Amino acid sequence: MKQANIQITSLQQAALSVLCYFNVFQHPLTLNEILNNCPVKSTNKEMEEALRYLVLIDAIKTDKGFYFLNDHSNTIIEDRQLKENRAKKELQRSHRYTKLISRFPFVKAVCISGSLSKGVMDEDGDVDYFIITDKQRLWICRSMLIAFKKIFLLNSRKYFCTNY
């Protein structure tokens, strides 16, 4: 059986690489998300053409405005939309804790990290904070945050995760 010699451009290869990375997380992407994560700069039209060719040669799939590698369009698209809705609700709630953490001594900045920072959240996910402290005050600040969590939040991991 003779195999077809398929050639792909550097833009198509770059788009495929982006989709491969996000496929690890079962996260389908929109055209704009592929453009924003692609190391090869292109216009919308160029990327659309590149993706259209990748679909044509069956290297990727597309459905409902999303692009992905596997053929589980219904499940991964619905799953992404559920995670996005959950993240929107959780992000609103996390603002309250962000303000609270920012009032602790030695805290310079509070950022959201983890899956929530990417706009998605699993059903059993938690909120991860990236906290910047005064110089040489990291451990005392972390100790105070852990004590607060244990005493006032009954050691809840859901809304107040104290990772490094």
Side-chain angles (χ1 to χ4, degrees), residues 2-163:
K2 186 177 180 182
Q3 288 186 329
N5 188 11
I6 298 174
Q7 299 277 325
I8 62 173
T9 66
S10 60
L11 178 59
Q12 292 162 343
Q13 177 61 47
L16 194 54
S17 295
V18 170
L19 288 166
C20 285
Y21 172 78
F22 282 92
N23 185 62
V24 171
F25 307 102
Q26 292 293 300
H27 191 79
L29 298 175
T30 64
L31 170 68
N32 284 334
E33 291 168 334
I34 296 169
L35 274 168
N36 290 337
N37 288 283
C38 189
V40 176
K41 298 303 171 203
S42 67
T43 65
N44 275 22
K45 184 176 180 178
E46 290 169 333
M47 184 58 79
E48 282 176 344
E49 290 173 12
L51 293 171
R52 192 174 308 120
Y53 180 74
L54 291 171
V55 169
L56 180 69
I57 64 170
D58 206 29
I60 65 172
K61 309 289 183 200
T62 185
D63 190 21
K64 300 176 186 172
F66 292 97
Y67 296 90
F68 45 92
L69 295 185
N70 53 23
D71 199 18
H72 302 101
S73 62
N74 290 337
T75 55
I76 66 171
I77 292 171
E78 288 174 12
D79 190 41
R80 176 182 165 160
Q81 291 169 334
L82 284 172
K83 288 178 180 180
E84 285 176 340
N85 289 335
R86 198 176 298 122
K88 285 178 188 174
K89 292 175 188 173
E90 199 57 50
L91 194 56
Q92 291 173 347
R93 185 179 305 159
S94 72
H95 286 300
R96 197 171 83 225
Y97 289 106
T98 302
K99 286 180 184 179
L100 176 70
I101 294 168
S102 71
R103 292 187 179 123
F104 271 73
F106 313 119
V107 172
K108 290 289 198 184
V110 181
C111 306
I112 300 292
S113 64
S115 61
L116 188 57
S117 70
K118 294 157 188 65
V120 294
M121 185 173 212
D122 287 321
E123 192 172 355
D124 61 346
D126 61 5
V127 179
D128 297 306
Y129 295 95
F130 183 83
I131 302 168
I132 299 172
T133 66
D134 285 335
K135 190 175 182 179
Q136 297 186 3
R137 296 291 185 246
L138 171 65
W139 292 104
I140 188 73
C141 186
R142 185 173 189 275
S143 297
M144 288 188 295
L145 287 165
I146 289 171
F148 175 83
K149 176 185 153 186
K150 287 184 182 279
I151 295 167
F152 296 103
L153 299 178
L154 305 173
N155 208 27
S156 170
R157 295 184 65 139
K158 178 106 176 139
Y159 305 114
F160 201 90
C161 185
T162 52
N163 291 337

